[in-house]
């Protein structure tokens, strides 16, 4: 066999990269990926695929979808750029604007992973002890490193809190680069969100996704920003990045916002119950959440993770980023009760 040292051929920045962990771990109750526990009724989509010509490429500009999303967010269709999940849009932003890329940590790991994959420098600034933005440190890094892009996930994954709105504002005002407010979890939050500020700040980008509200299978995320900014991002977009089925299904779903709101409300209500029950559980320190998951600290996170999994409950081990912490996604009432029961019995041992 011909001998080729593949590792030597790979770009140095990719050689040291670790692939994003998205493994399928068999379990009874899946509470690890911040998905919605509520799927859409397949009957709702029965007619959708019949209008699709499978031999043709999708609408390259996703015109109908952009129109519907624009209406929902009260912006023009030109202010919306859909992607194959917001992950793809992060890729496009970093490809178009380059680095350095600044973000607080712990946060969504893809900002760092994609920066490294594209050979751009990621600058990670630790959050303060309340998991809020360390404003002075962020501003200092902005002055010194002049990041082209700043990613702020608010509510933040995995901590669950929203960053102080006035601190986000200060960063948008003081930065000469692009500030992306990643609002993947905004539907679950009581905070207002940053869409209304788009008119006043040309360097602001809002990122949204359908993945957390029952449609992760579609892989659909959106950038909302000025048409001028999106025109630059659009240059690096792969043609036909959103397939016909996702375009059509999303248009159907977004046309029925009542159902979307009902499932989000159910999750928010269960989040309240789950948090209260976790607070009552000895040995567990849960952190308040504005998202569809709860971060919690325990004495022996690694062992507890395994004990939960042994009983079929899959959560996310966050020990890589935050010592002693696990993250549980809010499920259905039944799933949450199953989690609480196993959690308590595992901690009693
Ligand atoms: N942003 C944040 C903060 C997330 O937590 C996630 C998903 N874990 C994403 C973006 C990616 O979402 P999508 O499924 O749209 O790629």
């Amino acid at each position: 066999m011909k001998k080729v040292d593949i590792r030597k051929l790979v770009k140095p920045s990719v050689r040291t990269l670790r692939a994003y962990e998205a493994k399928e771990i068999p379990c009874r109750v899946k509470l690890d990926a911040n998905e919605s526990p509520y799927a859409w009724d397949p009957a709702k989509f029965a007619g959708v695929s019949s209008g699709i010509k499978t031999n043709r490429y999708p609408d390259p500009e996703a015109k109908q979808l952009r129109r519907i999303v624009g209406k929902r967010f009260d912006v023009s269709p030109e202010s919306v750029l859909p992607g194959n999940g917001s992950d793809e849009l992060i890729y496009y932003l970093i490809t178009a604007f380059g680095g350095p890329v600044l973000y607080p940590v712990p946060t969504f790991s893809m900002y760092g992973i994609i920066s490294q994959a594209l050979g751009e420098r990621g600058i990670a600034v630790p959050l303060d002890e309340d998991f809020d933005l360390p404003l002075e440190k962020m501003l200092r890094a902005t002055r010194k490193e002049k990041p082209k892009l700043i990613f702020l996930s608010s509510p933040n994954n995995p901590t669950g809190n929203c960053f102080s709105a006035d601190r986000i504002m200060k960063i948008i005002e003081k930065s000469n680069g692009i500030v992306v407010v990643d609002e993947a979890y905004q539907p679950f939050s009581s905070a207002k969100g940053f869409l209304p500020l788009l008119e006043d700040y040309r360097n602001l980008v809002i990122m949204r996704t359908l993945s957390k509200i029952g449609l992760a299978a579609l892989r659909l995320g959106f950038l909302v920003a000025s048409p001028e900014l999106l025109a630059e991002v659009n240059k690096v977009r792969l043609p036909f990045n959103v397939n016909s089925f996702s375009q059509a299904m999303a248009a159907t779903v977004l046309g029925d916002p009542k159902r979307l709101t009902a499932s989000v409300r159910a999750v928010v209500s269960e989040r309240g119950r789950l948090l209260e029950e976790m607070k009552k559980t000895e040995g567990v320190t849960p952190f308040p959440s504005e998202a569809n998951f709860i971060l919690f600290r325990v004495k022996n996170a690694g062992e507890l993770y395994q004990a939960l999994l042994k009983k079929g409950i899959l959560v996310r081990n966050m020990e890589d980023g935050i010592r002693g912490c696990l993250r549980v996604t809010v499920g259905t009432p039944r799933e949450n009760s199953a989690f609480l029961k196993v959690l308590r019995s595992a901690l009693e041992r």
Side-chain angles (χ1 to χ4, degrees), residues 180-192:
V180 184
V181 180
D182 182 347
E183 294 190 338
Y185 301 98
Q186 175 60 28
F188 306 97
S189 165
S190 54
K192 267 207 332 248

Side-chain angles (χ1 to χ4, degrees), residues 150-168:
I150 302 177
F151 283 94
L152 306 175
S153 161
S154 187
N156 185 41
N157 175 14
T159 55
N161 58 308
C162 285
F163 299 139
S164 300
D166 57 330
R167 295 187 188 185
I168 296 181

